[in-house]
């Protein structure tokens, strides 16, 4: 839990202080590219960055599991990939791609606000996560990934008689 309110970072929760987050950071996010040779490559890069940034994921911990929920409207489950990298330090990776709508010759676009491109989010799972029992479901454009937790074993306490 962060001591810095999320509104401090423009409404988007910053993961700078979150050891479990491996968000991709775009150092040019607020850098103004206007015209010239940089404008064409920037527009394509910006749409990919927007797709990553707009993939919002909630992570909650219940007594039984860690639950991740991602809003992925318009995507089919075949277009989303959920992986757990055990060797890389128990990392949950959620990725996919939103395709651009095909442009017809006679179409005239007035506004393009929906993001397209690849997205990738990575989360370092805690030690109590059962990475071999991860489940994922997709319903109404919401991906839910459930990572069960190992039960915390209570230490056996043995009463010792005091002699004397």
């Amino acid at each position: 839990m962060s001591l810095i309110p999320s509104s401090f970072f423009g409404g988007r929760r910053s993961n700078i202080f979150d050891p479990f987050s491996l968000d991709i950071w775009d150092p040019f996010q607020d850098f103004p590219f206007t015209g010239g040779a940089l404008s064409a490559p920037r527009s394509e890069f910006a749409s990919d960055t927007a797709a990553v940034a707009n993939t919002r994921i909630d992570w909650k911990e219940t007594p039984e599991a860690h639950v991740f929920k991602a809003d992925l409207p318009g995507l089919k489950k075949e277009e989303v990939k959920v992986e757990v990298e055990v060797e890389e330090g128990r990392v949950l990776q959620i990725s996919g791609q939103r395709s651009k709508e095909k442009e017809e010759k006679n179409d005239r676009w007035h506004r393009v606000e929906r993001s397209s491109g690849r997205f990738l989010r990575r989360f370092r799972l805690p030690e109590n996560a059962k990475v071999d029992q991860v489940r994922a479901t997709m319903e109404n454009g919401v991906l839910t990934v459930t990572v069960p937790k190992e039960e915390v074993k209570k230490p056996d306490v043995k009463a010792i008689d005091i002699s004397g």
Side-chain angles (χ1 to χ4, degrees):
M1 182 160 190
S2 176
L3 297 175
I4 300 172
S6 62
S7 61
F8 183 76
F9 295 100
R12 182 172 184 268
R13 182 173 171 206
S14 173
N15 293 316
I16 295 170
F17 304 108
D18 186 355
F20 299 116
S21 177
L22 298 173
D23 278 351
I24 298 171
W25 175 61
D26 178 12
F28 301 108
Q29 179 176 355
D30 296 321
F31 194 82
F33 287 101
T34 55
L38 294 176
S39 64
R42 174 65 182 160
S43 62
E44 185 176 326
F45 179 72
S47 68
D48 285 348
T49 302
V52 171
N54 289 331
T55 306
R56 307 291 187 170
I57 298 180
D58 296 336
W59 176 2
K60 74 176 176 179
E61 182 176 354
T62 67
E64 299 82 28
H66 295 274
V67 181
F68 297 83
K69 288 194 175 196
D71 290 336
L72 302 171
L75 289 181
K76 300 176 190 132
K77 66 180 184 177
E78 295 81 17
E79 298 172 316
V80 179
K81 191 187 223 180
V82 178
E83 301 171 304
V84 176
E85 299 172 2
V86 180
E87 289 80 26
E88 295 292 323
R90 307 167 67 90
V91 174
L92 172 69
Q93 179 171 302
I94 300 171
S95 61
Q97 183 165 355
R98 289 187 179 107
S99 300
K100 285 185 179 179
E101 195 171 321
K102 293 181 181 178
E103 294 183 30
E104 300 292 326
K105 278 186 175 180
N106 298 330
D107 289 348
R108 188 171 130 214
W109 292 88
H110 292 278
R111 210 165 182 77
V112 178
E113 294 182 344
R114 295 184 302 148
S115 60
S116 62
R118 289 187 217 116
F119 64 90
L120 169 71
R121 295 293 306 272
R122 296 169 54 101
F123 300 92
R124 187 171 309 280
L125 297 171
E127 292 294 321
N128 67 349
K130 292 182 179 179
V131 294
D132 57 332
Q133 297 178 14
V134 176
R135 295 182 318 273
T137 60
M138 188 131 166
E139 186 175 331
N140 295 329
V142 178
L143 173 71
T144 303
V145 179
T146 305
V147 184
K149 291 171 33 178
E150 293 177 4
E151 291 182 27
V152 177
K153 295 182 180 179
K154 295 180 181 176
D156 292 333
V157 177
K158 182 180 175 185
I160 308 296
D161 290 333
I162 302 172
S163 61

